[in-house]
């Protein structure tokens, strides 16, 4: 199992939808993805997005004080976003997750009114179901370092 894609929209500094595609491992090598840039370019926000979509609840660990802090707050050029959304696509062809999908997409949304939702392959689900699925695959907040 590996991360195929991360899609971020309205999360922290990512006003527009931004997609990061990750190269898959093959028989000869396991690619490494490095994200580089100057201070303030959003590198830490990508790590925060990964933590957040996997179910992180601690605002302190996400470098915020209230849940609304993860929603794009606007700039001179762009108005503030009404929601934050992050989706992570995991390759499950090896069936690390006990689910009948070769690709698993986990999405988390938070709206400015405080309501939120979790989706698993575009179907609404509970955070506890996502945590269980990730735990069964030995993936999650306590398993890997982000």
């Amino acid at each position: 199992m590996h991360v195929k894609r991360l899609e971020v929209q309205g999360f922290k500094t990512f006003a527009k939808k931004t997609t990061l595609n990750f190269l898959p491992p093959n028989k000869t090598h396991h690619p490494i993805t490095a994200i580089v840039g100057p201070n303030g370019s959003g590198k830490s926000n990508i790590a925060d997005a990964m933590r957040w979509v996997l179910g992180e609840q601690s605002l302190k660990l996400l470098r915020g004080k209230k849940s609304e802090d993860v929603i794009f707050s606007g700039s001179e050029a762009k108005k503030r976003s009404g929601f934050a959304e992050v989706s992570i696509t995991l390759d499950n062809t090896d069936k690390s997750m006990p689910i009948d999908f070769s690709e698993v997409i986990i999405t988390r949304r938070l709206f400015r009114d405080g309501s939120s939702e979790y989706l698993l392959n575009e179907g609404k689900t509970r955070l506890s179901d996502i945590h269980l699925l990730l735990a069964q695959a030995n993936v999650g907040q306590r398993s890997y370092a982000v």
Side-chain angles (χ1 to χ4, degrees):
M1 183 177 67
H2 67 273
V3 176
K4 289 178 75 172
R5 187 172 33 260
L6 183 71
E7 295 174 295
V8 185
Q9 180 177 359
F11 183 84
K12 291 195 172 188
T13 56
F14 294 93
K16 296 187 303 182
K17 187 172 187 175
T18 302
T19 302
L20 298 156
N21 291 303
F22 299 93
L23 294 173
N26 62 37
K27 293 179 182 179
T28 59
H29 70 281
H30 295 276
I32 295 174
T33 300
I35 300 170
V36 297
N39 290 344
S41 63
K43 301 178 300 292
S44 296
N45 290 344
I46 292 170
D48 288 348
M50 285 187 135
R51 287 185 86 123
W52 189 69
V53 73
L54 294 175
E56 181 61 66
Q57 298 296 300
S58 169
L59 292 170
K60 183 178 180 182
L61 291 176
L62 295 170
R63 301 174 305 127
K65 291 187 168 99
K66 53 187 191 278
S67 61
E68 191 177 297
D69 290 345
V70 301
I71 302 174
F72 178 71
S73 60
S75 67
E76 289 181 17
K78 293 185 185 351
K79 65 179 186 169
R80 72 183 191 157
S81 181
F83 70 99
E85 178 179 295
V86 177
S87 295
I88 190 167
T89 304
L90 303 167
D91 182 298
N92 190 41
T93 53
D94 64 357
K95 298 298 180 200
S96 294
M97 287 188 227
I99 189 169
D100 286 333
F101 292 101
S102 59
E103 192 174 86
V104 176
I105 303 170
I106 300 170
T107 302
R108 183 174 181 181
R109 288 187 191 128
L110 174 67
F111 298 94
R112 202 162 281 284
D113 67 5
S115 63
S116 66
E117 59 189 16
Y118 294 89
L119 295 102
L120 183 61
N121 286 4
E122 299 182 4
K124 287 189 179 183
T125 190
R126 301 174 307 170
L127 175 59
S128 59
D129 295 331
I130 290 172
H131 279 166
L132 177 61
L133 186 64
L134 292 170
Q136 290 170 328
N138 294 321
V139 178
Q141 301 162 326
R142 313 253 187 269
S143 302
Y144 285 99
V146 176

